[in-house]
Amino acid sequence: MATGVGIDPARIAQLTEREETHLNSETTGSARMYARSRKVMPMGVASSYQARSPHPIFLERGVGSKVWDVDGSEYRDFHNGFGSMVQGHAHPAITRAVAERMPQGTHFAAMTEDSVVVAEELARRWGLPKWRFTNSGSESTMDAIRLARAHTGRELVVKMEGSYHGHHDTVMVSIGIDIDDDAVGPANRPNSVPYGGGIPACTVAQTIPVPFNDADALDARLTELAGKVACVIMEPGMMNIGVVLPQDGYLAAVREVTLKHGVLLIFDEVKTGITIAAGGAVERFGVTPDIVTLAKALGGGLPSGAIGGSEEVMASIESGLVYQVGTYNGNPLSMAAARASFLEVMTPDAYAHLEHLNDRLHEGLGAIIERHGFPAHVIGLGAKGCIVFSPDPVLNYRDWAHKTNGPLNELAWLYNMNRGIFMTPGREEEWTLSVQHDDADVDRFIDVFAELASDLTS
Ligand code: PMP
């Protein structure tokens, strides 16, 4: 695995140790809470993705673009709940909508008007006519795949190698793989590899990975598996290995290839939806799949998800062939938040503001990279973006694993945390801006990166 071009690994290690010591000394309240949580929760966290060594940072509250940890430290939040909080924390419109709903009852498992308003807005934004609700991204992708299997009468699922689509068995395949392990197979025809334990081998064998940004490899695999594949599920832009954008013409080619093979195309927009444009990747890249899955930013901080589809595909639910169900689907609190988010917060002005902030970040970070000859480049669109710690473009998972500098990512995270920028721990995360971020927030992010670049190159 690459450790970086032109950056001395010993210097990275030295700075990492210094920064780690500092962060630990500033987060003793989190360490104390972790001592309690680890006694009653595996890894001391609610979800394994919240774990961090030696302890996770416990937060107390968030308002606007900022969050505060239990030690009282203030951070500008660029993690934003794994990309869910594009509205920013405690947005007044969402707070009001939820507060008004609360005393009127929070759950009935019966229809309320807000879910209709939200579905209407989804249909308008995505150009897909029919919508159903879920409670998470995992539920959305699980239901979308079942729908595709029922619609086609086929069982195999094709996904992009390295893409994350949630934690149900079918999609827990070929993620975070060790590319130096022979088990992963050749790059243009990868093997199916389980992501963690507890996933039946027969399920793993039904999910086939292909490389992102390679429509020919997809076409070849679908030809080989002719008549057996129900769907291709993919993020239209990969957002779980930093950000990897589709090359020009790639998504259109995927659309063409899937139509040719009679395979449904699912765009998993759990991360791109709502964040990169009002109508997500479908609007931004101009390609319409058969099914779209949403979650994260849909509920403005309340658990929710959705699947949208063509009349033809959603007819399988309409006819009763497919059970798309869930006690909390369309929960009134989540729907009140989603309605306020769509109608009052995520407006055309909000998207213009996000583009402005992202452009400013892009330019500011790009100038630093240029000035220091730093081995990195910047990607950004809408609320999303990242610094890719590789001088060369990254096209897919193996590229990312080969080219990007893991230790440098970790050091950048520590620099951010120690200087008031809250970021997701881990090599693969990107930033999510919120509509409540401002120029001062992004300038701080740029300043911290300038300090890192200078400390590593001078
Ligand atoms: N799809 C994508 C693209 C995701 O990024 C995620 C979560 N990171 C999921 C699905 C799963 O969503 P959830 O964690 O809400 O189940």
Side-chain angles (χ1 to χ4, degrees):
M1 206 155 280
T3 49
V5 184
I7 303 285
D8 177 12
R11 177 76 176 140
I12 296 177
Q14 182 194 30
L15 290 175
T16 300
E17 199 185 323
R18 183 190 80 188
E19 294 291 317
E20 236 162 27
T21 305
H22 183 73
L23 184 63
N24 291 343
S25 72
E26 294 291 308
T27 54
T28 52
S30 283
R32 274 195 301 279
M33 286 203 180
Y34 176 62
R36 273 171 61 198
S37 70
R38 66 196 289 259
K39 288 194 183 131
V40 284
M41 303 167 86
M43 300 164 101
V45 288
S47 157
S48 297
Y49 288 146
Q50 294 169 13
R52 178 196 155 254
S53 177
H55 58 257
I57 309 301
F58 281 67
L59 292 189
E60 200 170 68
R61 66 197 170 92
V63 179
S65 64
K66 305 222 172 85
V67 289
W68 287 265
D69 72 10
V70 293
D71 287 283
S73 298
E74 177 182 294
Y75 306 84
R76 298 170 196 268
D77 189 4
F78 283 68
H79 164 50
N80 267 314
F82 276 127
S84 298
M85 299 309 303
V86 69
Q87 301 86 353
H89 299 289
H91 191 288
I94 294 174
T95 305
R96 189 180 59 247
V98 171
E100 281 173 6
R101 179 71 247 177
M102 209 58 192
Q104 301 184 69
T106 57
H107 185 63
F108 312 113
M111 282 296 288
T112 55
E113 188 192 353
D114 284 348
S115 65
V116 185
V117 175
V118 176
E120 285 168 349
E121 189 60 19
L122 288 167
R124 187 183 73 77
R125 290 183 182 225
W126 266 266
L128 288 168
K130 290 276 162 71
W131 291 81
R132 275 286 182 92
F133 294 105
T134 70
N135 305 288
S136 69
S138 297
E139 288 182 34
S140 294
T141 61
M142 180 176 73
D143 289 0
I145 288 170
R146 181 178 304 142
L147 198 51
R149 283 174 161 157
H151 183 79
T152 57
R154 302 168 175 179
E155 293 197 346
L156 298 186
V157 171
V158 168
K159 75 182 281 284
M160 300 300 141
E161 188 173 48
S163 250
Y164 184 74
H165 297 292
H167 57 268
H168 57 97
D169 290 356
T170 302
V171 290
M172 291 284 273
V173 176
S174 297
I175 305 157
I177 52 169
D178 174 1
I179 53 169
D180 296 324
D181 185 338
D182 288 344
V184 302
N188 63 351
R189 197 185 175 287
N191 295 336
S192 306
V193 182
Y195 182 49
I199 302 163
C202 60
T203 304
V204 174
Q206 288 191 316
T207 300
I208 318 292
V210 294
F212 189 67
N213 268 325
D214 188 343
D216 290 341
L218 174 67
D219 194 13
R221 208 66 168 105
L222 292 180
T223 303
E224 190 187 325
L225 299 168
K228 295 184 184 156
V229 176
C231 60
V232 172
I233 183 165
M234 64 187 294
E235 289 189 87
M238 286 180 78
M239 299 229 166
N240 281 291
I241 47 170
V243 176
V244 177
L245 294 179
Q247 289 187 297
D248 281 352
Y250 170 64
L251 293 178
V254 168
R255 179 66 286 192
E256 209 180 296
V257 167
T258 47
L259 282 172
K260 183 176 92 179
H261 290 276
V263 168
L264 293 189
L265 179 59
I266 303 171
F267 276 179
D268 179 358
E269 292 223 47
V270 166
K271 277 198 162 176
T272 54
I274 299 134
T275 58
I276 66 167
V282 168
E283 175 186 326
R284 188 106 196 184
F285 302 124
V287 173
T288 303
D290 301 291
I291 304 175
V292 161
T293 58
L294 297 174
K296 293 201 195 280
L298 174 65
L302 278 90
S304 71
I307 53 172
S310 61
E311 291 285 358
E312 204 192 349
V313 170
M314 296 302 253
S316 296
I317 300 177
E318 191 87 52
S319 69
L321 174 65
V322 170
Y323 293 98
Q324 195 282 322
V325 294
T327 301
Y328 272 90
N329 290 7
N331 170 259
L333 268 191
S334 300
M335 291 296 110
R339 175 184 178 149
S341 161
F342 275 145
L343 302 189
E344 299 174 57
V345 184
M346 301 314 296
T347 59
D349 284 351
Y351 287 100
H353 179 60
L354 292 171
E355 289 296 334
H356 158 78
L357 293 179
N358 223 329
D359 286 351
R360 192 175 172 111
L361 261 177
H362 209 290
E363 274 165 35
L365 297 170
I368 293 160
I369 288 168
E370 178 116 15
R371 189 174 337 128
H372 293 275
F374 203 77
H377 63 279
V378 187
I379 296 184
L381 74 171
K384 293 284 200 178
C386 67
I387 302 171
V388 184
F389 288 107
S390 155
D392 306 317
V394 169
L395 295 185
N396 56 40
Y397 176 81
R398 293 197 191 196
D399 231 15
W400 173 81
H402 269 302
K403 289 180 181 166
T404 62
N405 186 326
L408 197 44
N409 261 291
E410 174 63 20
L411 179 60
W413 182 80
L414 289 164
Y415 261 67
N416 280 323
M417 292 297 287
N418 282 329
R419 292 159 186 78
I421 303 283
F422 195 72
M423 272 294 272
T424 323
R427 180 184 179 192
E428 60 281 344
E429 280 304 323
E430 70 283 343
W431 67 64
T432 302
L433 303 170
S434 86
V435 302
Q436 298 191 73
H437 278 60
D438 59 17
D439 288 350
D441 291 320
V442 302
D443 289 348
R444 181 70 195 146
F445 192 97
I446 294 166
D447 288 347
V448 173
F449 180 62
E451 198 177 331
L452 172 71
S454 158
D455 287 353
L456 279 170
T457 53
S458 55

